[in-house]
């Protein structure tokens, strides 16, 4: 038994993790011995017993876990192959005519990706076996938070419905795809192939006509388009489940996944009807009402989309819904960097692990010396430090591992713990990045202020990790509710056990009052806010095997708090500035109001020219409230001259039209200016176009009055959309989002930039308002979680 | 709209040419124009227009021991236009100034309420009123009085009539001869403006003035023809006497040399009314020289009267905490602090632990106060000064 794991070693849960798609990376011998060890346990028995551990506690969660595993697999596969993920999730209701009060129903979950596909002979291994193996020594940042492979989902389906898993995979663009149906034989722990044929039907065409929404999208080549899915895999699993929106739903999972993976495009076709709510707790969150229906104009002009589809995202960077189908578009076009695998850091291991590693090394090579073992199997152990370790435990450079006794091993462990080694390398981490965070939040959350920050990597227990945080504030978010905290570990959203999570504690411990927010003691701040925390690590410490909350290590929480404080500081600055603007604006308004009366009175008393006096006093009022003027003045001054934000990175401000204006001094909003939302989107796009880290992104409200007290003049209009060079289609309906030739110096002639949409425009766009495409109605995803969308 | 001030004229009614106005009015108009010109001058030169308003507070009031009256100090409050707290008041002050100029030019007078209504309108371009209530308007007018150094009469404003007079005197009010001996049961209402220009005294046989606190007691004295029997003038001020009443008493005292004798409640409020009649009030300290009657006398009701007059228990009204606090404050006023009889009187009041109203005397016998109490005390000259 060369590789037996110590049963009492912590984190043994990891050893029962099921690898998901890459069996070739696993030491085969290990896997097989593991499997043989568990041979006498019936897999179905194991599974039935441990359902709750694996995320199949109840029908609703089972549905989510199935989607989640499949999506995680797809993302991993695409990223590994260097393909920008395009993932379609379809949930079909197989019992649409069930009684209205039934708690669960039978669903078919299909997840299709444009990944590299799977070669025929690996299919059974990937989908059909519960391969037990140790990933413990492999420290690599990866998804797989749920710790359970797609095969478990397939088995759940098999247990609950008796139906096999259906797999279509197309590893080569030029060759037909494989159609395989797999059923798990629970006795032998082997998959049995029931159907194995070649087919040209990939991506499966039958989905195109599933709903009106899919038909619409398919017509525009935006739904399972053959050109986007030249290779790929689709998995269909029939299972007993429950589809219901709200917290912990498939919808939420996809929303959050889309935020944390702005490089991926998701399409979600939900089932036609929700299950009836089981209890009040599970009830869907308040629908967002009218605010969801924010206007969107046509995505990209169709012509541009075709011309430019390879290089630029051809969809707007906001989430859209078409006839019930939700499209989470791609917001950035770079894949996250491929992460490296690292060796464990000596300070991060425990005695049992060390013993086991010694055993494994011994088995590997007979004459393995301790000296080279230390250098080979650990990170940051140099030749010098290795020899010093050897000396301390009275061994030489040539001492073989087999000669090390338990006592020595224990002493070695102590020495390693006390050693002063450099922290582990951090190039194994792939943070999302400030720019991507902002892009993700911007497309997923309708707020007016966004801030993001990315901390430097740090180490806990010898394992490198990195914390990122982002904030979205204001806009359409609910003002009087506790802020919403969204948590991610290695880009995977964590949907359960929020209060047990270190990130949640970090949120409650941060003093939000410093940033002008309401903050009940020990709670989440109150306000129109979404707080996002992401932890990237080669090894995310979870509190339990269900892997839903991050364990509360001081180092981790400290980093989280620092990241939150960075974001909070930016928000506080913004809020203070906004309050100041408002105050000054009110002041000026008050003065302005009374000056007229005073001028009249003076005219009546001493016959002075009222007009002249009024002008003089107004001039003074303006000077007294110069701050308000300065802020409101957009034409005259460069926005970046403006004091507070000048040194702030990672901030986007999108002020809804009219929000900052005090009083009712202005008349029609200036026509021909870009709406602020548009401008913000342009800024983000500009970011995307360059490879630099974002600097200040700030979109100012249009000013109402210029310094001389006249009404602001609208910018020169570009009246004929079709006539101008951008050639983009215009949405004309909402007055505030009137399109124009946007003067953005830094974007250049990027056509897609001009499609940036007015996410914040107020009214839903009536379909008639888009003369060119009257039959397609696109609006923002409604009725989802109130915090997002 | 606030941005579009277009008024050219404030009044459409005929104005009298300045030349035909009385000299006093010309002076007042000069002051109003001065105020407006300050605003124009400062406004045009980029400075913040400020109105300086003498403070009407206790801290800015001092007691002139020699004259025996309260006088206003020099402290002033600034009312700048460009301050959120004072911008509206500034506007209101200017509005009233303009209204008053209009009144003067037309040779009319108006009540406080009338001025309030004349100046009340919606601020152009908003839904806000220049004044919401008269309570907002009245202090602004007082501000104007003090800051311009012009009296209310000079601003052509009068307060509502309060207080009555009857007695052995003839009064000429705006040319009408008023025989105060033939006023029936109601008496003559004392107008708000009793300046010599508007009101003169005719024949007067009275030897003193008896001022009582309220209407009820005044009615008693009038019905019992007290003024006839004792050859005096009988007045009341409806509680705290208004300016018109005080000014009239002061003129009777100064011009006709009649002693003023007060019959007020035996409580801190009665003492305070006496104090105001005698030395002037804090809020009107700037007019003390026209209003205060330093030799006014306090006849009763006295703290000792409960025992001396053998009154019923029913007349006692227990002192409240507030009464006690007020009594101590009054005792500390400089003009009382050095006055031993008054210190004794207030100490007695506090010792008694109860207060009495003038009406208490009615309880003993309906005419006890007119037939016994006041005549005896007058004869004995038993009063406080």
């Amino acid at each position: 038994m060369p590789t037996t794991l110590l049963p009492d070693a912590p984190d043994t849960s990891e050893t029962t993790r099921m690898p998901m798609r890459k069996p070739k990376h696993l030491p085969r011998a290990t896997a097989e011995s593991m499997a043989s060890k568990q041979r006498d346990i019936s897999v179905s028995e194991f599974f039935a017993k441990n359902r709750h551990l694996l995320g199949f506690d109840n029908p609703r969660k089972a549905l989510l876990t199935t989607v989640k595993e499949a999506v995680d697999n797809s993302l991993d596969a695409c990223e590994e192959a260097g393909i920008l993920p395009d993932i379609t999730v379809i949930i079909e209701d197989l019992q649409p005519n069930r009684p209205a009060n039934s708690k669960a129903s039978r669903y078919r979950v299909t997840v299709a990706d444009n990944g590299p596909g799977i070669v025929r002979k690996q299919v059974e291994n990937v989908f059909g076996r519960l391969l037990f193996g140790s990933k413990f020594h492999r420290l690599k940042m990866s998804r797989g938070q749920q710790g359970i492979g797609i095969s478990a989902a397939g088995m759940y389906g098999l247990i609950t419905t008796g139906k096999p898993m259906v797999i279509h995979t197309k590893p080569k663009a030029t060759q037909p795809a494989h159609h395989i149906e797999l059923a798990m034989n629970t006795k032998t722990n082997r998959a049995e192939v029931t159907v194995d044929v070649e087919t040209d039907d990939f991506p499966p065409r039958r989905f195109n006509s599933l709903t009106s929404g899919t038909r619409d999208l398919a017509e525009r080549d935006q739904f399972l388009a053959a050109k986007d899915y030249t290779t790929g895999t689709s998995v269909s699993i029939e299972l007993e489940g429950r589809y219901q929106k709200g917290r912990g739903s498939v919808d939420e999972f996809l929303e959050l996944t889309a935020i944390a993976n702005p490089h991926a495009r998701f399409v979600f076709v939900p089932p036609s009807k929700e299950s009836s709510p089981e209890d009040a707790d599970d009830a869907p969150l308040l629908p967002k009402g009218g605010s969801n229906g924010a206007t969107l104009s046509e995505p990209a002009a169709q012509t541009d989309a075709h011309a430019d589809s390879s290089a630029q995202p051809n969809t707007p960077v906001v989430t859209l819904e078409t006839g019930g189908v939700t499209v989470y578009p791609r917001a950035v076009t770079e894949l996250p960097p491929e992460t490296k695998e690292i060796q464990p850091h000596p300070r991060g291991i425990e005695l049992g692990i060390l013993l086991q590693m010694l055993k494994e090394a011994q088995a590997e090579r007979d004459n393995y010396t301790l000296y080279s073992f230390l250098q080979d199997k650990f990170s940051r152990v140099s030749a010098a430090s290795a020899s010093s370790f050897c000396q301390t435990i009275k061994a030489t450079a040539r001492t073989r591992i087999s000669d090390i006794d338990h006592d020595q091993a224990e002493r070695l462990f102590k020495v390693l713990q006390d050693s002063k080694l450099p922290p582990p390398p951090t190039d194994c981490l792939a943070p999302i990045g400030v720019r991507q965070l902002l892009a993700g939040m911007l497309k997923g959350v309708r707020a007016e202020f966004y801030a993001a920050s990315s901390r430097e990597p740090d180490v806990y227990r010898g394992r490198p990790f990195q914390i990122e945080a982002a904030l979205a504030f204001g806009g359409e978010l609910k003002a009087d509710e506790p802020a919403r905290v969204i948590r991610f570990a290695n880009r995977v959203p964590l949907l359960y056990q929020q209060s047990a999570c270190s990130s949640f504690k970090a949120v409650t411990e941060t003093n939000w009052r410093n940033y002008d927010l309401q903050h009940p003691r020990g709670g989440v701040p109150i306000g129109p806010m979404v707080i996002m925390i992401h932890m990237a690590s080669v090894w995310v410490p979870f509190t339990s095997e269900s892997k839903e909350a991050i364990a509360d290590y001081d180092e981790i929480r400290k980093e989280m708090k620092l990241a939150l404080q960075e974001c909070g500081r930016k928000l506080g600055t913004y809020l203070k500035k906004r309050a100041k603007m408002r105050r000054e604006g009110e002041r000026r308004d008050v003065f302005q109001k009374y000056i007229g009366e005073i001028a009249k009175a003076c005219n009546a008393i001493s016959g002075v020219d009222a007009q002249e006096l009024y002008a003089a006093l107004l001039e003074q009022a303006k000077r007294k409230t110069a701050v308000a003027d300065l802020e409101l003045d957009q034409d005259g001054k460069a926005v970046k001259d403006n004091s507070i934000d000048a040194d702030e990175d990672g901030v986007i401000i999108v002020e809804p039209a009219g929000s900052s204006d005090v009083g009712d001094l202005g008349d029609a909003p200036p026509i021909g200016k870009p709406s602020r939302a548009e401008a913000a989107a342009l800024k983000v796009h500009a970011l995307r176009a360059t490879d630099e880290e974002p600097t200040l992104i700030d979109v100012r409200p249009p000013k109402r009055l210029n310094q001389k007290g006249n009404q602001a003049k609208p910018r020169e209009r570009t009246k004929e959309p079709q006539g101008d060079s951008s050639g983009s289609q215009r949405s004309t309906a909402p007055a505030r989002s009137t399109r124009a030739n946007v003067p953005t110096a830094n974007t250049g002639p990027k056509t897609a930039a001009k499609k940036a949409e007015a996410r914040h425009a107020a009214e839903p766009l009536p379909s008639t308002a888009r003369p060119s495409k009257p039959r397609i109605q696109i609006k923002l995803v409604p009725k989802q979680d109130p915090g997002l969308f | 709209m606030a941005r579009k001030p277009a008024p050219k004229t404030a009044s459409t009614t005929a104005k009298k040419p300045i030349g035909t106005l009385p000299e006093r009015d010309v002076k007042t108009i000069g002051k109003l124009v001065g105020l407006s010109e300050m605003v124009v001058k400062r406004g045009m030169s980029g400075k913040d227009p400020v109105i300086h308003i003498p403070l009407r507070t206790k801290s800015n009031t001092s007691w002139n021991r020699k004259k025996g009256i309260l006088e206003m100090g020099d402290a002033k409050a600034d009312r700048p236009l460009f301050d959120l707290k004072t911008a509206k008041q500034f506007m209101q002050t200017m509005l009233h100034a303009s209204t008053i100029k209009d009144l003067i030019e037309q040779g009319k007078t108006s009540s406080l309420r009338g001025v309030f209504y004349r100046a009340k309108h919606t601020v152009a371009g908003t839904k806000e009123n220049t004044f919401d209530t008269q309570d907002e308007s009245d202090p602004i007018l007082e501000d104007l009085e003090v800051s311009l150094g012009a009296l209310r009469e000079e601003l052509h404003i009068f307060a509502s009539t309060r207080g009555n007079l009857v007695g052995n005197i003839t009064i000429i009010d705006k040319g009408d001869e008023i025989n105060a001996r033939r006023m029936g049961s109601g008496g003559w209402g004392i107008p708000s403006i009793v300046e010599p220009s508007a009101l003169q005294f005719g024949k007067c046989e009275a030897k003193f003035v008896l001022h009582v606190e309220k209407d009820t007691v005044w009615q008693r004295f009038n019905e019992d023809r007290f003024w006839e029997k004792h050859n005096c003038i009988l007045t009341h001020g409806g509680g705290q006497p208004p300016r018109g009443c005080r000014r009239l008493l002061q003129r009777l005292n100064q011009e006709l040399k009649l002693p003023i004798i007060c019959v007020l409640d035996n409580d801190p409020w009665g003492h305070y009314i006496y104090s105001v009649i005698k030395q002037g009030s804090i809020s009107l300290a700037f007019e003390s020289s026209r209003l205060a009657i330093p030799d006014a006398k306090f006849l009763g009701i006295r703290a000792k009267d409960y025992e001396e007059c053998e009154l019923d228990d029913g007349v006692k009204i227990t002192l409240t905490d507030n009464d006690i606090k007020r009594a101590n404050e009054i005792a500390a006023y400089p003009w009382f602090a050095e006055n031993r009889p008054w210190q004794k009187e207030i100490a007695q009041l506090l010792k008694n632990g109860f207060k009495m109203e003038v009406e208490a005397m009615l309880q003993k016998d309906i005419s006890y106060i007119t037939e016994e109490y006041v005549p005896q005390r007058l004869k004995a000259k038993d009063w406080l000064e």
Side-chain angles (χ1 to χ4, degrees), chain B residues 90-347:
Chain B
F90 190 100
M91 180 270 291
Q92 290 171 334
T93 314
M94 295 309 294
L95 271 184
H96 273 339
S98 137
T99 313
I100 285 162
K101 190 189 175 224
D102 203 31
L103 277 179
I104 297 173
E105 281 175 346
Q106 294 183 50
K108 303 259 166 85
T109 56
S110 169
S111 69
L112 291 171
R113 189 156 182 81
V115 175
F116 159 61
Y117 263 104
R118 277 195 65 78
K120 177 177 183 285
H121 59 258
T122 313
V123 177
T126 69
K127 287 180 178 147
E128 189 180 329
N129 279 332
T130 51
F131 295 94
D132 283 323
T133 63
Q134 197 186 335
D135 292 346
E136 249 183 290
S137 159
D138 292 357
I140 297 286
L141 284 172
E142 275 185 19
D143 290 345
L144 261 181
E145 274 182 72
V146 290
S147 60
L148 295 179
L151 298 170
R152 193 190 280 173
E153 298 71 42
E154 291 169 348
L155 300 179
H156 285 221
I157 301 168
F158 59 85
S160 53
T161 301
R162 201 167 75 199
N164 293 84
L165 178 144
V166 68
N168 283 332
I169 187 168
T170 301
I171 290 165
I172 296 112
D173 181 5
K174 293 222 165 152
D176 294 340
E177 202 165 288
I178 310 223
N179 186 348
R181 303 162 195 91
R182 303 172 63 111
M183 298 311 298
S185 58
W188 174 65
I190 301 169
S192 157
I193 298 179
V194 293
E195 289 308 303
S197 57
L199 186 142
Q200 299 88 34
F201 298 126
K203 194 175 169 226
C204 175
E205 299 93 14
K207 295 291 175 233
F208 67 95
V209 178
L210 187 74
H211 179 80
V212 301
E213 183 163 337
K214 280 191 223 98
D215 187 48
T216 325
V217 179
W218 183 87
Q219 296 283 8
R220 180 82 263 122
F221 279 94
N222 189 21
E223 196 176 287
D224 291 349
R225 308 296 279 182
F226 180 88
W227 54 271
E228 215 170 48
K229 286 178 201 156
H230 295 88
N231 190 21
C232 70
I233 296 168
L234 191 59
T235 60
H236 81 88
Q240 181 68 261
R243 267 200 256 182
C245 182
R246 282 167 61 195
R247 174 69 173 146
L248 185 68
L249 289 176
Q250 199 251 11
R251 285 187 62 201
L252 287 169
N253 178 254
Q254 297 270 308
E255 295 171 25
L256 304 180
K257 306 294 174 203
L258 304 178
I260 310 294
I261 294 163
C262 303
V263 178
L264 305 166
D265 290 347
N266 174 42
D267 63 16
W269 309 105
H271 296 168
Y272 184 69
I273 290 172
Y274 172 70
S275 164
V276 168
I277 290 173
K278 191 176 160 85
Q279 357 271 336
S281 67
I282 288 168
S283 66
L284 293 176
F286 60 97
E287 282 205 85
S288 285
S289 57
R290 298 190 318 125
L291 296 175
I293 311 159
D295 66 353
K297 294 165 176 54
F298 184 86
L299 186 89
I301 306 297
R302 304 278 299 277
K304 61 181 184 181
D305 289 348
Y306 175 71
E307 283 171 11
E308 274 191 16
C309 305
E310 294 162 353
L311 296 175
D312 257 21
D313 267 5
V315 303
K316 290 181 182 175
I317 303 170
T318 313
L319 286 177
T320 63
D321 289 350
N322 205 11
D323 289 334
I324 294 166
K325 195 174 139 226
R326 192 85 182 105
N328 284 321
E329 274 173 25
I330 288 168
Y333 284 160
W335 48 99
F336 284 142
E338 296 165 10
N339 188 324
R340 300 197 74 174
W342 265 108
Q343 289 296 318
K344 265 173 79 183
E345 176 67 21
I346 295 171

Side-chain angles (χ1 to χ4, degrees), chain A residues 583 586-588 590-618 620-624 664-667 705 709-711, chain B residues 1-10 15 32-33 35-37 39-40 42-49 81-84 87-88 90-91 94-95 97-98 101 121-124 126 128 130:
Chain A
R583 270 201 312 276
E586 272 166 21
R587 273 184 72 185
R588 205 228 341 248
V590 167
F591 297 154
Q592 213 164 354
K593 206 161 53 186
Y594 298 144
I595 286 170
E597 295 290 333
I598 290 167
K600 269 190 241 178
C602 287
N603 168 266
I605 296 171
S606 58
V608 68
D609 184 344
Q611 204 82 42
E612 203 180 312
L613 178 59
Y614 177 79
L617 290 176
L618 186 66
Q620 238 188 97
K622 293 200 153 293
R623 224 173 39 243
K624 302 272 179 192
D664 199 16
L665 300 171
D667 301 318
L705 291 166
N710 303 322
Q711 269 183 271
Chain B
M1 292 296 285
R3 273 171 290 170
K4 201 161 64 75
K8 288 295 174 202
T9 54
K15 291 180 187 175
L32 288 168
V33 170
L35 176 69
S36 160
E37 270 167 3
V39 175
V40 174
R42 289 188 72 92
M44 293 294 195
S45 60
K47 287 180 195 146
D48 191 352
L81 165 58
F82 291 110
D83 184 317
L84 278 189
K88 186 167 189 183
F90 190 100
M91 180 270 291
M94 295 309 294
L95 271 184
S98 137
K101 190 189 175 224
H121 59 258
T122 313
V123 177
T126 69
E128 189 180 329
T130 51

Side-chain angles (χ1 to χ4, degrees), chain A residues 433-685:
Chain A
V434 168
R435 182 155 56 92
Q436 286 84 347
L437 279 172
L438 286 174
M441 290 290 266
L442 194 64
K443 86 174 178 182
V445 185
R446 309 208 184 295
E448 66 179 76
F449 173 87
Y450 302 83
S453 75
S454 196
R455 300 281 309 161
E456 289 298 307
D458 200 345
V459 176
Y460 82 95
R461 279 185 56 203
R463 286 156 193 160
F465 72 98
Q466 187 166 4
I467 299 295
E468 293 169 295
L471 279 186
F473 184 90
E476 296 174 13
L477 301 173
K478 285 255 161 71
D480 299 329
E481 289 174 9
R484 173 147 181 223
V485 181
I486 55 179
R487 304 166 291 136
F488 299 87
N490 289 350
R491 291 172 181 259
V492 177
L494 308 177
L495 300 182
Y496 291 92
Q497 292 195 13
Q498 168 167 279
S499 52
C501 187
S502 180
S503 60
F504 187 76
K505 285 179 188 150
V507 170
T508 58
E509 282 175 19
T510 303
N511 189 355
W512 295 96
R513 291 199 190 104
N514 288 347
Y515 315 124
D516 283 6
L517 291 168
Q518 261 185 291
H519 186 197
R521 203 164 291 280
V524 181
I526 312 280
M529 184 157 69
V530 174
I531 302 168
M532 173 192 179
I533 298 185
H534 176 237
M535 173 172 180
S537 178
V538 293
W539 181 249
V540 179
F542 288 106
T543 53
S544 68
E545 316 204 353
S546 53
K547 307 197 170 181
E548 286 155 352
I550 300 170
D552 195 14
Y553 282 97
D554 284 348
E555 296 93 333
I556 295 175
R557 197 162 29 136
K558 185 181 135 225
E559 280 295 309
M560 285 176 170
K561 278 163 77 176
L562 287 170
L564 288 172
Q565 282 161 10
E566 263 181 53
C567 290
R569 194 169 44 75
K570 292 171 190 169
L571 176 64
T573 312
Y574 169 71
L575 290 180
K576 284 197 178 77
K577 189 180 75 175
R578 202 176 66 168
K580 191 176 180 195
M581 275 171 66
R582 202 165 277 170
R583 270 201 312 276
E584 295 286 331
E586 272 166 21
R587 273 184 72 185
R588 205 228 341 248
D589 239 37
V590 167
F591 297 154
Q592 213 164 354
K593 206 161 53 186
Y594 298 144
I595 286 170
E597 295 290 333
I598 290 167
K600 269 190 241 178
C602 287
N603 168 266
I605 296 171
S606 58
V608 68
D609 184 344
Q611 204 82 42
E612 203 180 312
L613 178 59
Y614 177 79
L617 290 176
L618 186 66
E619 183 61 36
Q620 238 188 97
K622 293 200 153 293
R623 224 173 39 243
K624 302 272 179 192
T625 53
V627 179
D629 262 347
L630 190 67
E631 306 290 341
L632 293 173
D633 185 36
Q634 198 176 23
D635 284 340
K637 297 196 186 294
V639 169
K640 287 189 183 170
D641 290 351
N642 214 289
S643 51
I644 323 173
D645 284 343
D647 56 345
E648 292 280 17
D649 281 354
V651 171
I652 299 181
I653 296 169
V654 184
E655 282 188 65
S659 74
S660 67
D661 300 301
V662 195
D664 199 16
L665 300 171
D667 301 318
I671 301 169
K673 282 180 114 167
S675 78
R676 276 156 285 191
E678 281 178 295
L682 283 169
K683 294 274 187 182
V684 176
H685 194 88

